[in-house]
Amino acid sequence: MKISYNWLKQFIKTDWSPEQTSELLTDLGLEVEGLEAYQSIKGGLEGVVVGEVLTCVQHPNADRLRVTTVNIGTDSPIQIVCGAPNVATGQKVPVATIGTTLYTEEGEAWTIKKGKIRGEESYGMICAEDELGLGKSHDGIMVLDHSTVVGTAASDLFDIENDQVFEIGLTPNRSDAMSHFGTARDLKAGLQHKDITLELITPSVSAFHVDNRTFKIDVEVLNKELAPRYCGVTISGVKVGESPEWIKHRLKAIGLSPINNIVDSTNYVLHELGQPLHAFDASKVAGNKIEVKTVKAGTKFTTLDGIERELHEDDLMICDIEKPLCIAGVFGGLDSGVSEQTTNIFLESAYFNPISVRKTAKRHALNTDASFRFERGIDPNITQYALKRAALLIQELAGGEITSDISDDYSNKIEDFQVHITFEKVNKLIGQEIPRETIKSILSSLEIKVNNVTETGLGLTVPSYRNDVQREADVIEEILRVYGYNNIETTTKLNASISNSSKFEDHKLQNVVGNQLASQGFFEILSNSLTTPSYITLSEQLKEEHNILMLNPLSNDLSVMRQSLLFSGLETVIHNINRRKSDLKLFEFGKTYHNYNKIREEYKHLTLFTTGNKSAESWSVTPSKSDFFHMKGTVIAILERLGINNYRTVPTKNDVFSEGLQLEQGKMPLVSFGIVKNSILKHFGIAQEVLFADFNWDNIIEVSKRNSIKFNAIPKYPEVRRDFALLLDDNVTFEQIHTIAKQTEKKLLKNVSLFDVYQGKNLPNGKKSYAVSFLFLDEKKTLTDKVVDKIMNKLQDNFKNKLGAELR
């Protein structure tokens, strides 16, 4: 939210600097994230002075140029080449001297330099009004009044607005501060606590009166729940045109573009008082009647941006007797807005249900200044005051007469909040005793009325515009922010307790695995749990009926809870690839969400993604691609780090993989991993291979708890290694070899590993060669060749009988 310092001072006459004011606003909870200078004419005309044209002759080398000498108040005149048709001797003109920076209408800077134009030297520029930002005309140079003194700075001649603009990071609960008046109200409270008492100045509406009652538009509120208060008045005989400079400066300072005097007036009051208003062209209100109601679902309505929208049955609309005119509290209609031909207007000021406005705005993906305020809750008791303020401003800027009484439908008044606080609770929550008189003074400065005072506490009435202050804790927070968080002393004693926790707690195991993955070059990612419903079409295992739908989604792309972490991870992969980061190793701890027979369940997962090269390019390392076995090694290393060694390998049933495996213990799946199918990668625009692993983290935690660590003495006797080169059928896996070997010798065989695979030349068709090593150890004695040879013979026989293996 942008707040103009000059505008703020219309409400509170402070002599504090913008920097001091920023600090106080931040201390009050209105955090100033930036302070930006604003000038109504960018650059402030610095370097532009008044000059007098002494001579003006035709350029010798150009028909449309003239060579002038100009007195700018320096020791000697300067020569300037000028192309304006109206330049003449004796004129007083604005001159941009060498080094002056001017700005285009788009804000692009350019600097005046000494130069030669068709052979003639030029030491500046005689300016037109559009070049200075003083107008739009470029028909010729700007000619000043003859009495203007030569050498006078142009900034002294023209009314240049210099301002400082606060960028305030407003929290959603502070709807009361969404205006210059609301910010000034907080500032007044802060200054008063510092013993600086200033009056809060409110714009007077005492001049408001009905000129005649010749044009009345009836108002009927058919849905009082969604529109608790609705005010309106007609103004006839207005003349739509350009706004005066002062209001343009105010709006431009906070980033708004002036439109016309009617719309600018409503925008001005919106940012002045925080009350959104809307002006209708009264001639387009059929039947001279306004109806506030919902309409039939599917009704077509074209908004001011020219987009035709399909209305929802719960959208509150401002209608006439024939058609909708405006989406209440959100956006006006294209066919009912103010135009240059408008002479009569119906001015609306209302309080709409915040929840209704928010849902409507989100449904139609609209975010306007009006909806921003309505959906957070505005002051319901300022509605008529703001209407009078806007009506008087419109009369001032566009003329016209008030031609009806104010319609004000407010049958169910929104009451102030009654809250009771105890001094004991105040001191307990703040952690420091604050004098009771100070507490009452702070509450009074915040317009919170103290109804009764007892020995133990206070009975309070909180104004209805503070819809975020309805509990005792809320009031205490208000006291603390004005008293000052920085004024609360730090205790000299620190109390802490140490809790006994299991080493298998979720966050501890996550840290163990996360540190291991980070040491292997993986980066942790955190993706959104909300996703698009279209992703379920990429896997037959994901069902639409299992989706958990958001009741009020930010957009269709974020309308369901994810059933898989794969797709959000692939979004991250393509995001990095598109930014030339194609070698990736990523991991994420997250949850998936499922609706099974109307029972909502969520499961924890750890996912890994690898793609591109395994390591960064280096002169000492030959680049190699991430592959299935690299991913498998990473997966097994994680299991081993958690002490999980007893598992079996089965083919994965997950259809997101073109090739994959699943590791499980009993009936508990631990992890599925493999190569992601090309059809899924194509959906994300990924052209390179991606490896993916999905750990069922709930099961991992459960299995980890079962494992006990056993300590053994280091063996005293040497290991014996023997190797086989086996000729096998292509369909034989190392898993089969490993299983048969372990079944053959359970006591002495400690390890079986595959260290070479060969397929190709000099081998029969359908065959491959595995080089397998076997490691033997007897912990009680030294093994002899006779014992080892006997085991190797058994292994050879079993491989031959069960796998058809031959020794090479």
Side-chain angles (χ1 to χ4, degrees), residues 288-399:
N288 287 344
K289 184 177 181 181
I290 290 290
E291 295 179 346
V292 185
K293 62 182 181 179
T294 55
V295 297
K296 186 179 178 181
T299 301
K300 305 292 185 183
F301 179 69
T302 304
T303 45
L304 279 169
D305 54 5
I307 298 176
E308 184 179 73
R309 304 177 188 274
E310 191 172 295
L311 300 177
H312 187 273
E313 58 189 7
D314 293 332
D315 291 339
L316 185 67
M317 302 297 296
I318 311 301
C319 309
D320 57 23
I321 62 172
E322 296 177 354
K323 61 189 180 299
L325 302 175
C326 172
I327 303 178
V330 181
F331 211 22
L334 184 63
D335 299 325
S336 62
V338 173
S339 66
E340 292 181 359
Q341 290 73 42
T342 298
T343 56
N344 302 324
I345 64 170
F346 175 76
L347 187 61
E348 164 198 281
S349 178
Y351 176 87
F352 297 118
N353 183 287
I355 296 174
S356 171
V357 172
R358 178 170 177 79
K359 287 183 176 180
T360 296
K362 295 305 177 186
R363 265 195 294 269
H364 297 290
L366 291 169
N367 183 21
T368 62
D369 283 337
S371 68
F372 179 81
R373 285 159 177 78
F374 276 126
E375 65 191 29
R376 286 161 175 78
I378 61 170
D379 183 359
N381 295 319
I382 204 176
T383 308
Q384 189 178 123
Y385 169 73
L387 182 69
K388 291 179 178 180
R389 167 67 172 148
L392 289 172
L393 189 57
I394 288 172
Q395 284 187 294
E396 178 186 342
L397 303 186

Side-chain angles (χ1 to χ4, degrees), residues 712-757:
N712 295 315
I714 297 174
K716 297 179 180 180
Y717 303 98
E719 298 172 336
V720 176
R721 170 176 165 163
R722 295 289 177 87
D723 299 339
F724 273 161
L726 300 173
L727 186 65
L728 303 158
D729 293 335
D730 277 340
N731 60 355
V732 175
T733 65
F734 174 69
E735 178 70 20
Q736 292 172 285
I737 295 173
H738 187 276
T739 302
I740 292 170
K742 287 290 188 179
Q743 290 172 348
T744 301
E745 177 53 54
K746 297 179 180 179
K747 182 179 178 182
L748 301 179
L749 181 60
K750 301 301 181 182
N751 187 47
V752 183
S753 64
L754 176 66
F755 64 89
D756 189 37
V757 178

Side-chain angles (χ1 to χ4, degrees), residues 641-675:
R641 180 65 182 85
L642 297 175
I644 303 173
N645 298 300
N646 184 21
Y647 52 80
R648 64 191 181 95
T649 304
V650 296
T652 183
K653 296 179 181 178
N654 196 328
D655 65 353
V656 301
F657 298 113
S658 58
E659 298 178 42
L661 293 176
Q662 178 170 296
L663 306 184
E664 56 187 36
Q665 190 176 92
K667 294 184 178 180
M668 295 177 66
L670 300 178
V671 56
S672 296
F673 61 93
I675 303 171

Side-chain angles (χ1 to χ4, degrees), residues 390-451:
L392 289 172
L393 189 57
I394 288 172
Q395 284 187 294
E396 178 186 342
L397 303 186
E401 296 180 329
I402 307 295
T403 51
S404 75
D405 291 313
I406 291 178
S407 301
D408 188 358
D409 192 315
Y410 194 22
S411 53
N412 298 316
K413 190 174 186 302
I414 297 173
E415 300 293 340
D416 294 339
F417 311 110
Q418 303 300 317
V419 182
H420 183 268
I421 66 169
T422 63
F423 296 120
E424 180 185 4
K425 192 63 177 280
V426 172
N427 296 334
K428 183 178 179 181
L429 284 185
I430 292 178
Q432 179 176 311
E433 185 172 349
I434 296 177
R436 296 184 180 186
E437 289 303 315
T438 301
I439 292 175
K440 288 189 285 185
S441 174
I442 289 173
L443 292 173
S444 176
S445 71
L446 292 170
E447 300 183 0
I448 297 176
K449 183 180 178 183
V450 179
N451 297 323

Side-chain angles (χ1 to χ4, degrees), residues 27 193 426-435 438-439 442 476-477 479-492:
D27 289 343
H193 182 63
V426 172
N427 296 334
K428 183 178 179 181
L429 284 185
I430 292 178
Q432 179 176 311
E433 185 172 349
I434 296 177
T438 301
I439 292 175
I442 289 173
I476 296 172
E477 182 185 2
I479 295 169
L480 180 56
R481 72 180 182 86
V482 176
Y483 183 77
Y485 288 93
N486 295 334
N487 295 325
I488 303 301
E489 296 177 2
T490 303
T491 176
T492 56

Side-chain angles (χ1 to χ4, degrees), residues 50-53 88-93 143-150:
V50 175
E52 181 179 7
V53 180
T89 302
Q91 291 174 336
K92 298 289 181 68
V93 293
V143 180
L144 305 175
D145 187 89
H146 191 71
S147 61
T148 309
V149 178
V150 170

